[in-house]
Amino acid sequence: MSIGLNIKRLRREKEITQEQLAKYLGITSRAVSQWECERTAPDISQLPALCHIFEVSSDELLGIDIEKNNEKIEECLHEAQRVMHQGDFESCLEVLRKANSKFPKSYRIMERLANALICVKSRNGLRDYNEVYELCNRILEECTDSMIRYRALNHLATAYEYAGKYDKMREVAKMMPPVDYSYENFMVYRWKGKEELSKRFEYMSYLISQMMEMLDCLAGHNDDNGGLLFNKEQRKRLWNLKVDLLELLFPDGDYQSNAQQGESACSFLVRTFLEENNLERAWYFLEKEADFAIHMDTYDFEGAHTSPVLEGYMDGGWIRENGCNHSGELLNWLLTDKTAAPLRQDERYHILIERLQKVSKGEVASLS
């Protein structure tokens, strides 16, 4: 980080305006602005005064130790992400608390800590999010990194939602940029060359995920009285559309984490057709649900897509919370749930049970 950006950060942390800093140094506010925009730099004779005003060492002002600290911060964040992907949110929180104590001015750590706090508190049914509010508001007041600020807004709004403060949630949400003004939306026609192809894939992956989520939201949308806006037939069509779209977009069956979207859609359709006593349609979507569940449990987290829409792109893994096993959950439903009883009379039942048992016990190798 340059001395100009350091001055900007330290000035904001001390709640000093550009005009006040200029007055302390006997220069114009325009000179301070030029430093912070990295157009010019302060004279070496001004460094002692700047160190005194900000109460920092010359090394910190010049950013000499920042690179070393950034490496250590990156290590902490990597470790926090590793344990979070194992579903161990408490350990993730502990890692980030220690990192925050060691690097109390790192906004990246503050942002990740706020997110970890939300994960832990929401899963324990807690509604006290004061620590999250403090972290996010500090980021918004002091941090100049737009991406960290946007994440802080997201965490702040989410914390208000879990706390039941819906007016506050909407107030913060209005501070977020509309999708039309996002970086990705602006760059979609401007990315060029082989290196930036990954940006297109990353955005495409996000849009596919969002489209699946939006179909979920439509199917579950409430009317003004709190009931479902769409009737059962309309919802069946929406869930069926999710499955069709996934199979169209990923003809190679390389769904990766999107398989969970297909699994949830099929789950609804299986249960709906069972209610209607339409066993053939129930079986049709049950076998698809099993395929999606098995895919979730066996696909290679480091493997790349082969279907054209994302060829060569890696989605990454998903958080295995509480040892989550998709095949095991479906297996348990088939074996124990009363609503699944009609399925047990079919000759396909035992074949499916055996497939799911092998995967849930870890007897099937990961898909490449």
Side-chain angles (χ1 to χ4, degrees):
M1 185 178 291
S2 71
I3 186 171
L5 292 179
N6 276 335
I7 289 171
K8 185 176 184 178
R9 173 180 62 83
L10 293 166
R11 177 179 63 75
R12 289 191 171 187
E13 289 177 0
K14 288 291 184 180
E15 298 183 351
I16 299 172
T17 66
Q18 288 184 342
E19 290 75 15
Q20 288 171 327
L21 181 58
K23 187 175 181 180
Y24 296 154
L25 297 169
I27 59 176
T28 66
S29 58
R30 176 175 170 75
V32 175
S33 177
Q34 293 286 309
W35 295 346
E36 295 185 359
C37 292
E38 300 183 282
R39 294 193 181 96
T40 61
D43 187 87
I44 192 169
S45 63
Q46 294 167 318
L47 297 186
L50 286 166
C51 291
H52 178 74
I53 293 167
F54 296 136
E55 298 180 288
V56 296
S57 67
S58 58
D59 280 353
E60 183 173 351
L61 181 66
L62 294 169
I64 292 172
D65 291 335
I66 288 178
E67 287 304 317
K68 290 182 180 178
N69 284 345
N70 282 342
E71 289 179 11
K72 294 176 182 176
I73 288 170
E74 193 62 41
E75 289 173 4
C76 293
L77 294 176
H78 180 77
E79 175 62 14
Q81 184 177 23
R82 186 187 68 80
V83 294
M84 176 174 275
H85 272 275
Q86 294 175 346
D88 191 348
F89 295 100
E90 293 287 352
S91 294
C92 176
L93 184 58
E94 183 180 349
V95 169
L96 291 169
R97 281 199 185 283
K98 288 180 179 178
N100 190 51
S101 297
K102 190 172 183 179
F103 305 103
K105 293 183 180 181
S106 171
Y107 300 115
R108 293 177 67 200
I109 290 175
M110 290 182 208
E111 178 266 316
R112 292 283 292 277
L113 177 58
N115 182 51
L117 282 163
I118 291 171
C119 289
V120 170
K121 288 177 178 291
S122 63
R123 282 163 174 76
N124 288 297
L126 302 176
R127 295 171 70 87
D128 175 13
Y129 289 87
N130 288 332
E131 189 176 357
V132 177
Y133 305 151
E134 290 173 7
L135 286 165
C136 291
N137 283 322
R138 183 180 172 190
I139 290 170
L140 294 172
E141 289 169 6
E142 300 176 5
C143 182
T144 59
D145 187 309
S146 296
M147 291 306 300
I148 296 176
R149 290 172 59 83
Y150 292 151
R151 293 190 190 105
L153 284 171
N154 185 286
H155 300 332
L156 187 57
T158 302
Y160 280 134
E161 179 185 14
Y162 283 132
K165 300 179 179 180
Y166 301 111
D167 288 341
K168 283 281 191 182
M169 176 198 74
R170 293 180 182 276
E171 182 183 324
V172 173
K174 288 179 180 178
M175 298 166 65
M176 301 176 187
V179 67
D180 287 352
Y181 299 101
S182 70
Y183 160 75
E184 290 84 0
N185 201 56
F186 176 81
M187 289 298 296
V188 71
Y189 292 111
R190 296 170 174 85
W191 282 315
K192 307 292 182 184
K194 187 175 180 180
E195 287 188 8
E196 291 192 331
L197 178 61
S198 62
K199 297 291 185 182
R200 288 194 191 278
F201 280 147
E202 186 176 358
Y203 191 34
M204 175 64 82
S205 178
Y206 167 79
L207 290 174
I208 291 171
S209 177
Q210 286 299 103
M211 180 169 57
M212 295 296 138
E213 294 288 351
M214 281 303 300
L215 288 169
D216 276 351
C217 292
L218 284 173
H221 195 88
N222 296 121
D223 59 24
D224 294 337
N225 298 317
L228 289 169
L229 184 64
F230 295 106
N231 62 38
K232 186 165 69 172
E233 288 304 312
Q234 290 172 315
R235 295 176 73 209
K236 280 162 62 177
R237 290 182 66 186
L238 287 168
W239 289 109
N240 203 153
L241 181 60
K242 280 186 70 176
V243 179
D244 289 345
L245 279 171
L246 282 171
E247 292 179 338
L248 177 66
L249 291 167
F250 301 102
D252 293 354
D254 54 317
Y255 310 105
Q256 295 201 15
S257 58
N258 286 297
Q260 188 170 11
Q261 298 288 346
E263 180 190 5
S264 63
C266 288
S267 177
F268 169 84
L269 290 165
V270 169
R271 286 149 183 78
T272 301
F273 282 119
L274 281 174
E275 290 173 6
E276 298 173 355
N277 202 31
N278 189 337
L279 292 182
E280 274 311 304
R281 291 300 284 170
W283 263 105
Y284 175 80
F285 286 106
L286 176 60
E287 291 184 320
K288 287 183 180 292
E289 181 183 357
D291 289 340
F292 284 125
I294 290 170
H295 187 91
M296 281 296 292
D297 292 329
T298 58
Y299 84 86
D300 182 2
F301 284 7
E302 297 181 359
H305 284 282
T306 56
S307 292
V309 71
L310 289 175
E311 188 172 359
Y313 179 76
M314 294 181 289
D315 282 346
W318 49 276
I319 297 173
R320 295 184 182 274
E321 190 171 355
N322 298 321
C324 179
N325 182 301
H326 292 253
S327 304
E329 289 178 2
L330 178 57
L331 177 65
N332 184 61
W333 178 78
L334 285 167
L335 291 171
T336 64
D337 200 287
K338 292 181 180 179
T339 59
L343 299 168
R344 298 176 193 137
Q345 309 305 316
D346 195 286
E347 60 183 13
R348 291 169 286 188
Y349 176 77
H350 295 291
I351 297 172
L352 184 58
I353 291 295
E354 186 176 347
R355 279 187 69 205
L356 292 169
Q357 284 177 333
K358 286 183 178 180
V359 178
S360 64
K361 292 177 181 178
E363 296 175 9
V364 177
S366 295
L367 299 172
S368 60

